[in-house]
Structures are given as C-alpha cells and as structure tokens.
Amino acid sequence: MNNMTAPHVALVAITKHGLARALALLAQLPEAHLVVTEKFAPAIPPALPNPVKILSGALSGHMADLFSNYDQLVLFISLGAVVRLMAPHLKSKDEDPGVVVIDDAARYVIPVLSGHVGGANAFALHLAELLGAEVVLTTASDVGKTIPVDILGRELGWQVEAPKINITRVSAHVVNGEPIAFVQEAGSRQWWTRPTPLPSNIHLFDEFEKVDLSSFKAVLWVTRREISASVWEQLKERLVAYRPPLE
C-alpha cells in the first residue's frame, strides 16, 4: 500500500452527519470510494459517480479488508473509536495505510497513523484545505518544522538508505535540536520545501570529508557514492544516507 502517486482512498462514514460531510468531500475527490453501513445506504444519492461500498454488520468486522485495500482511510468517526478499530490490524509504518480522522462537524482533520511514510500528514493537509478545516499534526518534525528524516527528498525520487534503528535515532537528534551535519554531494538542492528557514542545528556541507564527525550528533548524507562498511560502523546509529536518481 502507501502509493501516494495514485492513492486508493476510502471515506468511511457511520453517522448521518459523517455521511453528509463525506458526500460533500467526494465531489472534490473523484478517485475516492465511499464506505457506509447498511443503515445509511438509502441516503446515498443515486447519481453519485464515486464507487460505493456498503458494509453489513459492524465496521470492526471490515477493518482488515479496508486496511488491505486502501492506501488512505478517512474516517468520520471519533478518534477514540478509530484507535480501537484499527489496533488489532497494525503491522508497521511501512505496511499500514494512512489513517485520517475527521469530526462530524468537519472542523478538525487529524492524521492518526502512518503520517510520514504512509502519507497521512500530506493527505490530511490536502483534506483540510478542501474542507476549510484545521489540521492537527502531532509528528515532531512537522510541529518543529524541521527535517522529516524518514521521507526526506521522497518527492524528488530520493531513496533512504539506513537501518531502521538509524532512522529512529537520527530523527530524535534532529527534532531535539542537536547539531546535525547535512552533506549533499548529489541531487536537487530543492529539498527544503517548508516556508520557514532551515533550523539552525542543521549544518550544510558539500563533501563528507569536510565534516568533523566529533562535532555532530548525526549525519544526513545525500550521495551516489558507495558507503563503506567501516563508515557505517564508525557512525553506528548516527548515519542516514539518501540516494538521488540520476539527473
């Protein structure tokens, strides 16, 4: 799942007001599917162009299917209920779909699951813009307006290369404002897309050899070079590399 270039989107509504909000949103999301319980099936306009899935029985019995068949799940259901519904089906951020919760009044849009890798944060921002709603982001890199280590450069075709523990450790150093060496030897320079300045703890270099490794908690390295095992060992859990496509 998690194919954000052509997402499979499901808008899930199990209340009267939730269905009304979902129908209004569907007009702006021609690719999205509508998922409702049998109780509200008669309220669906017959000329609705979007695909419709009618659920028999409780929503909980259909969550596994929804998790398997959609990249983005948008649920017009309370946050607490959504947490309980999805808990038995969680695997990993590399496999789980993005999950976004919208309240019945469409005042708040909350990405709940797979905010970065699954694209829920980006999709929630898009939905909030369509609805004129407020998006509620809780991921540290978004709140702190700093580098999202796990998806940096994804829109530019960069591929992250590092053990998962490195991504976790380096992300913590980044959001905690510790000194980070950002080494860019290849790829587009248009990787910083936030309207705010680059955080002061991120220090830019154009060559790895220019970095005094003892002065930095972590290194983000954009390169096409082969990185030796000795360098990975030297930096242990402090290095994340990015591989840009050939230009």
Side-chain angles (χ1 to χ4, degrees):
M1 306 308 292
N2 305 330
N3 177 10
M4 283 303 294
T5 58
H8 294 85
V9 178
L11 273 58
V12 183
I14 61 172
T15 67
K16 176 182 176 181
H17 295 298
L19 176 58
R21 301 298 180 187
L23 289 172
L25 194 54
L26 283 171
Q28 303 176 82
L29 295 171
E31 79 283 6
H33 295 195
L34 176 64
V35 179
V36 297
T37 52
E38 286 179 312
K39 177 179 178 179
F40 295 103
I44 300 172
L48 185 71
N50 303 72
V52 177
K53 185 178 181 67
I54 308 297
L55 304 180
S56 60
L59 175 58
S60 58
H62 299 274
M63 287 303 292
D65 179 64
L66 293 175
F67 257 57
S68 298
N69 289 293
Y70 293 97
D71 301 301
Q72 299 294 328
L73 296 177
V74 181
L75 298 104
F76 292 83
I77 306 170
S78 73
L79 178 57
V82 169
V83 170
R84 293 182 186 279
L85 284 166
M86 68 183 185
H89 308 286
L90 301 181
K91 295 179 181 177
S92 75
K93 67 178 183 180
D94 298 313
E95 300 176 76
D96 296 332
V99 175
V100 176
V101 168
I102 302 177
D103 64 286
D104 270 7
R107 291 179 58 194
Y108 301 104
V109 180
I110 311 169
V112 181
L113 184 67
S114 295
H116 280 167
V117 177
N121 284 8
F123 196 59
L125 286 164
H126 178 56
L127 294 174
E129 184 178 0
L130 294 178
L131 292 167
E134 182 178 350
V135 66
V136 181
L137 299 178
T138 58
T139 43
S141 63
D142 292 286
V143 173
K145 296 180 173 57
T146 191
I147 291 175
V149 172
D150 52 351
I151 60 167
L152 179 65
R154 183 167 67 173
E155 70 280 4
L156 299 172
W158 295 6
Q159 298 293 319
V160 64
E161 179 181 303
K164 287 186 177 181
I165 188 62
N166 288 40
I167 295 172
T168 300
R169 295 281 191 261
V170 173
S171 294
H173 292 311
V174 169
V175 301
N176 286 329
E178 296 173 296
I180 306 296
F182 187 95
V183 184
Q184 185 166 14
E185 300 174 340
S188 170
R189 303 280 168 174
Q190 306 304 313
W191 53 269
W192 181 251
T193 57
R194 299 188 189 277
T196 52
L198 187 68
S200 59
N201 67 309
I202 309 297
H203 302 267
L204 304 179
F205 297 88
D206 58 12
E207 190 176 346
F208 180 76
E209 285 73 18
K210 295 179 180 179
V211 181
D212 177 3
L213 298 177
S214 64
S215 299
F216 297 95
K217 281 288 188 177
V219 178
L220 304 176
W221 189 4
V222 187
T223 187
R224 296 195 184 98
R225 281 203 245 176
E226 286 294 324
I227 301 176
S228 67
S230 62
V231 170
W232 285 106
E233 178 62 26
Q234 178 188 9
L235 287 168
K236 284 279 183 190
E237 298 168 0
R238 299 165 52 205
L239 173 62
V240 175
Y242 301 91
R243 301 301 193 177
L246 295 174
E247 298 171 347

